[in-house]
């Protein structure tokens, strides 16, 4: 109870800082970077849910992230209504996950092949969109743009004011708010009967099916929800940057796996924390490198070394390590308290009758 209360308090403090303190400070660079981090954080949250709780290792979760972004840009350019485009994008990302998940789960694809299939789908989309640079590659009035993407992606507008796009500060608040709402939605989902069945399937799928649960159906539901969640991240990324084939590439998928491992597999907050920390570290290293680093200094090399050390030394991730440290400190304090009471002659311990 104490641990859950502290966790809820930590999330609440983080929400207050991100949604109140940062906008009040008015640092534009911080808010722009924060919008990008939040969109990636939602993507990390989607993989944390299906991998950590459902045991579904998707190497290509970025496919739904990119599909959400592209669907939003294309629908917004054709419809002229950004909020309708958002709904279409999230629905398409979720529907794509449902179709792909149906063939994988009803085909009884094993974990390794499932990861390969999802990664292949993501790389196929990356390869295809890179080849759509000609004028003939359009969907309605929206040019796909090839490797340049769609820089003219419309920005979400104020509700009821279609000619008033959101400012960078408002996009930041929207992105951070969506991240916290997504986190709470995942927490609630895991706490439901559906979530408990999903965890039981992860632990022992055969036993769960012998108890009458259709593992395929539960996996499909979780995979579809995570796909829609990744699509929301893609829409927010399209609003703070723009859509491009790089949303599907191997680097995005690889970073996503690393964020979850470093943050802590089996947790929801851990991968989001890992995502933020590693993105901030990459930004810092890139700034130092541009500021006159020596030739041997390379941000990717430094990140690679640090990540290798973290994965080898902290196999459970940062958040589980922090929780274990807190438990150890609490247990030590409790033990000291018991020893102090035992040594104090004025403290009378209750005697058993």
């Amino acid at each position: 109870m104490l641990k859950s209360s502290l966790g809820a308090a930590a999330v609440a403090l983080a929400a207050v800082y991100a949604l109140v303190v940062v906008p009040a400070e008015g640092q534009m660079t911080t808010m722009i970077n924060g919008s990008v981090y939040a969109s990636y954080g939602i993507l990390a949250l989607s993989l944390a849910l299906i991998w950590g709780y459902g045991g579904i290792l998707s190497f290509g979760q970025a496919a739904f992230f990119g599909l959400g972004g592209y669907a939003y840009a294309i629908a917004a350019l054709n419809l002229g209504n950004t909020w309708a485009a958002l709904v279409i994008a999230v629905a398409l990302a979720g529907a794509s996950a449902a179709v792909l998940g149906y063939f994988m789960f009803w085909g009884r694809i094993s974990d390794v092949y499932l990861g390969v299939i999802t990664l292949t789908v993501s790389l196929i989309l990356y390869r295809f969109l890179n080849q759509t640079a000609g004028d003939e590659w359009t969907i309605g009035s929206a040019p796909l743009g090839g490797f340049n993407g769609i820089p003219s992606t419309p920005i979400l507008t104020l509700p009821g004011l279609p000619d008033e796009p959101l400012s960078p500060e408002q996009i930041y608040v929207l992105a951070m708010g969506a991240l916290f709402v997504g986190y709470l939605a995942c927490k609630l989902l895991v706490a439901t009967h559906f979530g408990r069945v999903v965890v039981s399937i992860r632990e022992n799928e055969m036993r769960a099916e012998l108890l009458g649960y259709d593992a395929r159906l539960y996996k499909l539901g979780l995979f579809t929800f995570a796909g829609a969640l990744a699509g929301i991240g893609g829409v927010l990324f399209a609003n703070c940057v723009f859509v491009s084939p790089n949303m599907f590439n191997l680097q995005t998928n690889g970073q996503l796996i690393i964020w979850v491992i470093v943050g802590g597999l089996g947790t929801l907050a851990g991968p989001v924390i890992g995502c933020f920390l590693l993105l901030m570290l990459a930004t810092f290293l890139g700034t130092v490198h541009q500021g006159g680093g020596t030739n041997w200094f390379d941000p990717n090399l430094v990140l690679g070394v640090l990540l290798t050390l973290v994965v080898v030394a902290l196999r459970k991730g940062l958040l589980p390590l922090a929780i274990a440290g807190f438990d150890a400190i609490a247990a030590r304090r409790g033990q000291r308290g018991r020893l102090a009471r035992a040594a104090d002659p004025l403290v009378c311990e209750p005697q058993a009758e």
Side-chain angles (χ1 to χ4, degrees):
M1 181 65 70
L2 177 60
K3 188 185 299 183
S4 62
S5 299
L6 290 174
V11 173
L13 288 174
V16 170
Y17 177 78
L19 297 174
V20 178
V21 177
V22 173
E25 292 177 349
Q27 295 289 335
M28 185 60 64
T29 302
T30 301
M31 285 186 283
I32 292 175
N33 288 336
S35 300
V36 177
Y37 297 170
S39 62
Y40 277 131
I42 294 174
L43 175 60
L45 188 63
S46 70
L47 182 61
L49 178 66
I50 60 173
W51 187 14
Y53 291 85
I56 304 170
L57 176 54
S58 172
F59 280 118
Q61 193 67 9
F64 311 116
F65 180 74
L67 281 173
Y70 265 91
Y72 166 79
I74 293 169
L77 286 170
N78 282 283
L79 300 178
N81 187 324
T82 55
W83 289 99
L86 184 151
V87 174
I88 292 172
V90 175
L92 178 64
S96 301
V99 172
L100 180 61
Y102 172 79
F103 287 105
M104 292 191 302
F105 301 134
W106 262 256
R108 298 291 184 179
I109 301 297
S110 63
D111 294 340
V112 175
Y113 291 106
L114 189 149
V116 172
I117 289 173
T118 52
L119 179 59
T120 302
V121 169
S122 183
L123 295 181
I124 287 174
L125 291 170
Y126 170 69
R127 182 72 174 176
F128 168 74
L129 289 169
N130 265 299
Q131 299 176 346
T132 58
D135 294 335
E136 68 276 12
W137 291 100
T138 60
I139 299 179
S141 59
L144 295 181
F147 58 86
N148 290 319
I150 310 178
S152 58
T153 301
I155 304 299
L156 284 166
T157 59
L158 291 171
L161 299 173
D163 297 327
E164 293 291 334
L166 296 178
S167 66
E169 295 89 342
Q170 292 167 331
I171 292 175
Y172 166 79
V173 173
L174 176 64
M176 282 295 176
L179 175 59
F180 284 108
V181 171
Y183 170 79
L184 293 176
C186 291
K187 288 286 288 185
L188 292 174
L189 179 65
V190 170
T192 62
H193 175 73
F194 175 88
R196 291 192 292 271
V197 173
V198 165
V199 173
S200 69
I201 292 172
R202 179 200 65 187
E203 294 298 320
N204 194 321
E205 183 172 337
M206 182 177 294
R207 179 177 295 179
E209 290 194 331
L210 289 175
L211 292 174
Y213 297 107
D214 190 341
R216 301 170 301 177
L217 190 60
Y218 281 89
K219 285 184 176 181
L220 180 62
L222 189 70
F223 195 67
T224 302
F225 177 83
L229 188 62
I232 294 174
V235 172
L236 293 171
F237 184 84
N239 276 267
C240 54
V241 189
F242 63 89
V243 297
S244 73
N246 289 333
M247 298 175 73
F248 300 95
N249 66 12
L250 183 61
Q251 181 178 357
T252 302
N253 286 293
Q255 284 181 335
L256 177 58
I257 299 292
I258 292 171
W259 295 336
V260 176
I261 293 175
V262 170
L265 183 62
T267 67
L268 292 173
V272 177
I273 295 171
C275 171
F276 274 57
L277 290 177
L278 292 178
L279 286 175
M280 287 189 291
L281 179 59
T283 301
F284 170 75
L285 292 175
T287 303
V288 173
H289 184 55
Q290 293 175 359
T294 55
N295 292 331
W296 58 265
F297 180 88
D298 182 79
N300 293 326
L301 176 62
V302 175
L303 279 174
V305 173
L306 289 176
L307 293 177
T308 301
L309 292 175
V310 169
V311 171
V312 171
L314 309 174
R315 296 184 179 181
K316 293 184 178 181
L318 296 177
L319 185 59
L321 177 66
I323 293 174
F326 173 80
D327 289 342
I329 293 173
R332 185 175 299 176
R333 288 183 176 179
Q335 183 178 6
R336 288 178 179 177
R338 289 192 297 270
L339 292 175
R341 287 193 298 271
D344 190 346
L346 299 179
V347 176
C348 297
E349 296 290 343
Q351 300 294 325
E353 295 183 357

